[in-house]
Amino acid sequence: NDNWSDTNNAMSLGLALEDRATYVVPGDVFVSKGLVGYLDGLGPDLALVSHHENRIPTAINAVLHDDGTIASAYQGAIQDMSHPELLGTFKVSSTMMLAEWRRRCILNSHWFAGMALPFDVGHVAPVEVGDHTYQEVNTPADYLRLISATRNK
């Protein structure tokens, strides 16, 4: 993405997506092998989520259908505490969904990639991280927490 400084991660993802099953994981996140193995054993299309109250104002939140799949996503203040936060990690296998995600990412290059995921094209299941290692590293303190957490595992 030659315009990376003027676009958000949606444009970069739109340029990278192909018509094959893929995991999308933010570059500043460390995950355990156990989490990858767990996700491999689940359904074809999913999003990692977390139910917690303290969220940054730019968090992407998910609205759920009655069947528990994700209906849509929005950014900003939590509209309902039952809406989990999308953590930015996705597993997508549907070629139809991948093609539409790529199209929406390129058309909406200023978005976070999770906002462009076409929840209306397929069924995306929310999956809690649980006890698996999923650590975002943005600061030196985050890095020290990661080191401490992984030494004990």
Side-chain angles (χ1 to χ4, degrees):
N1 177 6
D2 293 335
N3 297 319
W4 63 268
S5 64
D6 297 323
T7 61
N8 214 321
N9 66 3
M11 176 58 86
S12 296
L13 180 62
L15 295 171
L17 280 176
E18 298 178 352
D19 291 333
R20 60 183 178 151
T22 190
Y23 280 98
V24 173
V25 181
D28 58 355
V29 170
F30 289 82
V31 301
S32 64
K33 288 181 186 178
L35 178 58
V36 175
Y38 172 66
L39 297 177
D40 282 344
L42 296 177
D45 302 310
L46 54 86
L48 280 183
V49 300
S50 178
H51 282 87
H52 59 274
E53 292 182 22
N54 287 341
R55 301 181 199 177
I56 60 173
T58 57
I60 309 294
N61 306 295
V63 177
L64 305 180
H65 287 292
D66 290 338
D67 68 0
T69 60
I70 300 173
S72 62
Y74 65 92
Q75 187 174 21
I78 303 168
Q79 297 170 4
D80 187 304
M81 287 311 298
S82 68
H83 298 168
E85 179 181 356
L86 291 171
L87 298 178
T89 295
F90 306 94
K91 174 185 170 187
V92 179
S93 301
S94 161
T95 55
M96 221 168 96
M97 186 174 288
L98 286 163
E100 182 60 17
W101 197 11
R102 179 176 47 247
R103 187 185 77 75
R104 290 182 188 185
C105 280
I106 291 171
L107 287 175
N108 301 288
S109 63
H110 59 285
W111 285 5
F112 286 110
M115 292 290 297
L117 188 60
F119 300 109
D120 57 327
V121 172
H123 300 284
V124 178
V127 175
E128 288 279 348
V129 173
D131 293 332
H132 298 285
T133 299
Y134 186 92
Q135 188 87 28
E136 185 173 2
V137 176
N138 294 315
T139 67
D142 293 340
Y143 179 73
L144 293 173
R145 275 192 292 277
L146 172 66
I147 296 301
S148 176
T150 55
R151 279 192 181 144
N152 299 326
K153 290 192 175 196

